[in-house]
């Protein structure tokens, strides 16, 4: 049994730089000065996010090896990995994928950020190159067509070539079909039959002085089903959802959801506009409150969680991930402080029937749209619970709400004041709604436990909840 990956081809880098991409990208890269480790950050371009590239990058001189990755299910070429001969391929490719893997898989960054820069990985996505960048496209073109059997080949295959030889190599390759472009002493053309969308990741050395590897893959690449040609071992271990989740927890994966929120409110690299409004300015955000007077104690939250996951909900009950439980408790309390401060406290001085007060606090309660949040909150404010939460200390929560509401107004509530107990029913309902949606999200993500990102993204994806909490600083920025 072979113990080493099969080297498909070799080429030499002599200029300390490589050009990359489609034929016109390579030509473009050959016309500008050599680029060091790119300090490139994503930016919106219409409905997408792009990185502005120059299509050349400083690279380690010497012999580079080209390896094909094959899909273990059909033995077809699914990706390419190129590296300097001094690099251990399996170790390096796994490092790259850990830092910045495929956007169609679970781990890693899909954009250049501080983490990718610190780890020495440079990210290139589908909209960053190819015909999406039209510099020199009219002059150079994309070369000869592949044919009807793979008519997208020119768009979804790419080259890597020594900077000094880039223009000569482009002139040779443009006269050939993508599948027939041979490797040379100065570079290689990477063709993966019937690929869709192209991505790549450059791997740099420890000091980030020079690129030493290049991973080229498509949306169809599954690294848990792909191996180096000549080896049986898959690039990534196939994991059950629980195994993946436990590995991510051990690796201290960021499950806060804050970065995910940031990505969702900017145009996506996958081609979709943001679902909700952009992040408000800091001056518009309220909180965090960091009050010692928690509204919901740990047992209260556990009772609300259990109620939100009753069997008729259709999704198996999930607890909170241990490492993130404190974060979840603090987040839910911060959201409650925010709600009480923004929606209840301003109406403290208003007296009258509960229905009249509720119609002011929940102005959309009578709108025709069935199931609107205001209609549910209006009902909980005006009517005693017909199905109270078992074991829930409503009296204790109401007392803490009363203390919080009075804390900045120097008020002393009479015993029969209508606000605290009714507000308790309202915020308890809000929290059970959030936790029910978070449970569904954890289930859809194949996670056995709830993490903060399930809470934040559930709020984001629900129109009414988002409008309710969109000016909470804890929601967008966290609690610290």
């Amino acid at each position: 049994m072979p113990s080493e990956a099969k080297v498909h081809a070799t080429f030499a880098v002599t200029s300390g730089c490589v050009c990359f991409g489609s034929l016109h990208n390579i030509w473009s890269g050959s016309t500008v000065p050599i680029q060091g480790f790119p300090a490139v950050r994503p930016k919106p371009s219409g409905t997408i996010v792009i990185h502005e590239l120059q299509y050349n990058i400083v690279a380690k001189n010497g012999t580079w090896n080209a390896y094909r990755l094959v899909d273990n299910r059909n033995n077809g070429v699914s990706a390419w990995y190129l590296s300097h001969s001094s690099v251990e391929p399996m170790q390096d490719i796994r490092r790259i994928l850990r830092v910045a893997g495929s956007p169609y898989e679970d781990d890693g960054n899909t954009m250049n950020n501080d983490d990718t820069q610190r780890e020495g990985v440079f990210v290139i996505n589908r909209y960053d190159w190819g015909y999406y960048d039209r510099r020199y496209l009219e002059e150079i073109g994309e070369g000869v067509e592949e044919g009807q059997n793979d008519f997208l080949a020119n768009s979804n295959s790419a080259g890597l070539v020594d900077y000094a030889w880039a223009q000569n190599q482009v002139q040779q390759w443009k006269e050939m079909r993508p599948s027939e472009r041979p490797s040379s002493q100065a570079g290689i053309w990477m063709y993966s039959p019937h690929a869709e969308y192209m991505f790549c990741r450059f791997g740099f050395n420890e000091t980030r002085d020079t690129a030493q590897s290049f991973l080229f893959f498509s949306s169809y690449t599954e690294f848990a089903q792909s191996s180096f040609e000549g080896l049986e071992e898959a690039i990534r271990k196939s994991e059950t959802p629980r195994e993946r989740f436990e590995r991510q927890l051990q690796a201290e994966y960021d499950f806060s959801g804050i970065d995910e929120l940031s990505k969702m409110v900017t145009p996506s690299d996958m081609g979709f506009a943001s679902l909700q409004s952009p992040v408000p300015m800091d001056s518009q955000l309220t909180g965090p409150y960091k009050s010692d007077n928690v509204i919901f104690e740990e047992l209260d939250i556990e009772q609300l969680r259990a109620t939100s996951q009753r069997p008729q909900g259709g999704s198996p009950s999930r607890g909170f991930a241990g490492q993130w439980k404190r974060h979840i408790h603090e987040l839910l309390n911060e959201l409650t402080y925010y709600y009480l401060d923004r929606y209840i406290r301003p109406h403290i001085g208003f007296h009258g029937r509960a229905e009249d007060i509720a119609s002011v606090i929940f102005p959309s309660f009578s709108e025709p749209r069935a199931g609107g949040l205001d209609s549910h909150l209006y009902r909980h404010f005006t009517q005693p619970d017909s199905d109270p939460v078992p074991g829930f200390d409503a009296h204790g929560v109401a007392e803490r709400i009363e203390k919080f509401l009075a804390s900045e107004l120097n008020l002393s509530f009479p015993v029969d004041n209508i606000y605290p107990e009714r507000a308790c029913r309202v915020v308890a309902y809000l929290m059970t709604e959030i936790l029910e949606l978070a449970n569904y999200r954890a289930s859809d993500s194949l996670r056995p436990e709830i993490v903060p990102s399930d809470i934040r993204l559930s709020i984001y994806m629900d129109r009414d909840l988002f409008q309710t909490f969109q000016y909470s600083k804890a929601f967008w920025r966290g609690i610290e």
Side-chain angles (χ1 to χ4, degrees):
M1 181 182 299
S3 59
E4 294 184 357
K6 177 183 176 181
V7 176
H8 175 74
T10 63
F11 61 97
V13 175
T14 60
S15 63
C17 177
V18 290
C19 298
F20 59 91
S22 296
L23 295 179
H24 65 285
N25 297 151
I26 295 172
W27 193 280
S28 180
S30 72
T31 66
V32 296
I34 294 175
Q35 308 293 303
F37 188 99
V40 172
R41 292 294 182 267
K43 71 172 193 176
S45 176
T47 59
I48 61 174
V49 168
I50 65 169
H51 300 105
E52 287 191 351
L53 307 180
Q54 296 302 323
Y55 305 109
N56 79 48
I57 203 163
V58 61
K60 190 170 184 177
N61 280 334
T63 300
W64 282 56
N65 297 324
Y67 304 88
R68 297 191 300 189
L69 306 185
V70 295
D71 191 309
N72 295 330
R73 295 163 296 189
N74 58 28
N75 216 35
V77 177
S78 62
W80 291 75
Y81 170 81
L82 318 178
S83 64
H84 190 271
S85 58
S86 63
V87 174
E88 199 290 308
M90 187 69 82
Q91 179 180 331
D92 184 66
I93 194 172
R94 287 174 172 169
R95 177 185 73 91
I96 291 173
L97 291 174
R98 173 182 58 79
V99 176
S102 168
Y104 298 90
E105 297 187 345
D106 298 301
D107 294 339
N109 301 280
T110 58
M111 290 287 176
N112 290 298
N113 55 30
D114 292 343
D115 291 337
T116 57
Q117 183 161 7
R118 182 175 56 253
E119 297 279 356
V121 174
F122 183 63
V123 175
I124 299 172
N125 290 324
R126 57 177 284 196
Y127 292 109
D128 298 336
W129 56 348
Y131 58 76
Y132 296 107
D133 188 298
R134 306 189 70 82
R135 283 173 288 180
Y136 291 96
L137 181 57
E138 289 188 8
E139 297 91 330
I140 303 302
E142 292 189 299
V144 176
E145 295 287 337
E146 177 61 30
Q148 290 300 313
N149 289 334
D150 194 4
F151 63 91
L152 292 176
N154 263 317
S155 304
N156 296 324
S157 57
L160 187 80
V161 61
D162 185 71
Y163 178 82
W165 294 89
Q167 294 190 8
N168 286 340
Q169 192 64 69
V170 166
Q171 296 287 11
Q172 294 177 30
W173 279 339
K174 69 181 296 187
E175 304 301 325
M176 307 171 186
R177 290 184 176 186
S179 62
E180 297 172 350
R181 293 171 187 166
S183 59
S184 71
Q185 292 183 346
I188 189 166
W189 189 261
M190 295 161 288
Y191 172 71
S192 300
H194 309 291
E196 184 176 16
Y197 312 140
M198 59 182 186
F199 304 83
C200 84
R201 310 289 187 250
F202 274 102
F204 275 69
N205 60 0
E206 291 184 0
T207 55
R208 300 194 299 279
D209 297 324
T210 57
Q212 61 180 10
S213 59
F214 180 88
L215 174 62
F216 178 72
F217 61 94
S218 78
S219 60
Y220 292 161
T221 307
E222 293 183 44
F223 289 102
Q225 298 289 345
S226 298
S227 304
F228 280 101
E229 193 171 25
L231 293 180
E232 295 182 1
E233 182 182 8
I235 302 299
R236 304 188 78 167
K237 178 185 176 184
S238 181
E239 299 172 306
T240 65
R242 177 174 288 277
E243 288 172 337
R244 181 173 61 251
F245 182 63
E246 290 177 351
R247 173 178 58 78
Q248 291 171 332
L249 288 175
Q250 289 181 350
E252 298 184 348
Y253 187 85
D254 182 11
F255 281 114
S256 69
I258 294 172
D259 284 346
E260 290 172 88
L261 271 182
S262 178
K263 293 174 184 176
M264 294 183 80
V265 296
T266 57
S268 167
D269 68 313
M270 304 302 291
F272 302 104
S274 58
L275 180 67
Q276 307 285 14
S277 304
V279 181
M281 295 183 294
D282 280 350
S283 61
Q284 297 176 288
L285 297 174
T286 304
Y289 295 83
K290 298 183 180 179
S291 174
D292 293 332
N293 170 40
V294 296
I295 303 298
F296 295 114
E297 295 181 343
E298 183 173 348
L299 183 58
D300 300 321
I301 292 175
E302 185 58 30
Q303 297 295 342
L304 294 174
R305 183 199 63 78
T307 298
S308 74
Q309 299 179 19
R310 288 176 179 173
Q312 62 264 33
S315 180
S317 177
R318 284 168 168 77
F320 301 138
Q323 298 96 313
W324 291 95
K325 183 179 290 187
R326 180 180 174 184
H327 185 119
I328 291 172
H329 290 172
E330 291 178 344
L331 175 59
L332 294 176
N333 271 296
E334 281 290 336
L335 294 173
T336 304
Y337 299 143
Y338 166 84
Y339 184 83
L340 292 170
D341 189 35
R342 186 176 181 88
Y343 297 99
I344 303 296
R345 202 195 310 258
H347 303 288
I348 293 296
F350 183 60
H351 298 285
R353 296 185 313 133
E355 290 79 3
D356 295 333
I357 298 171
S359 67
V360 175
I361 300 175
F362 314 109
S364 303
F365 78 97
S366 61
E367 287 185 356
R369 186 168 65 91
L373 183 61
D374 265 13
S375 64
H376 291 293
L377 299 181
Y378 177 92
R379 176 173 56 83
H380 280 82
F381 190 89
T382 58
Q383 301 173 23
D385 289 320
S386 59
D387 187 18
V389 176
F392 180 67
D393 182 16
H395 179 71
V397 171
E399 285 187 339
R400 295 191 288 275
I401 287 175
E402 179 176 341
K403 183 177 179 181
F404 176 77
L405 290 174
S407 61
E408 293 183 13
L409 297 177
N410 196 26
L411 295 177
S412 176
F413 288 100
V415 173
D416 62 346
N417 186 278
I418 70 170
Y419 286 94
E421 290 187 3
R422 295 173 188 273
C424 172
R425 298 201 296 265
V426 167
V427 294
Y429 173 78
L430 275 172
M431 294 304 111
T432 55
E433 282 294 293
I434 291 170
L435 289 169
E436 180 179 8
L437 292 174
N439 189 56
Y440 285 133
R441 186 167 189 87
S443 176
D444 291 343
S445 301
L446 302 179
R447 280 192 293 270
E449 295 175 313
I450 294 171
V451 291
S453 65
D454 295 319
I455 293 172
R456 285 190 166 93
L457 297 183
S458 293
I459 292 172
Y460 178 81
M461 298 298 290
D462 184 280
R463 186 184 73 172
D464 288 340
L465 288 175
F466 178 78
Q467 290 177 349
T468 299
F469 293 104
Q470 65 176 317
Y471 295 108
S472 164
K473 194 167 187 177
F475 171 71
W476 291 109
R477 306 277 194 256
I479 299 162
E480 298 300 327

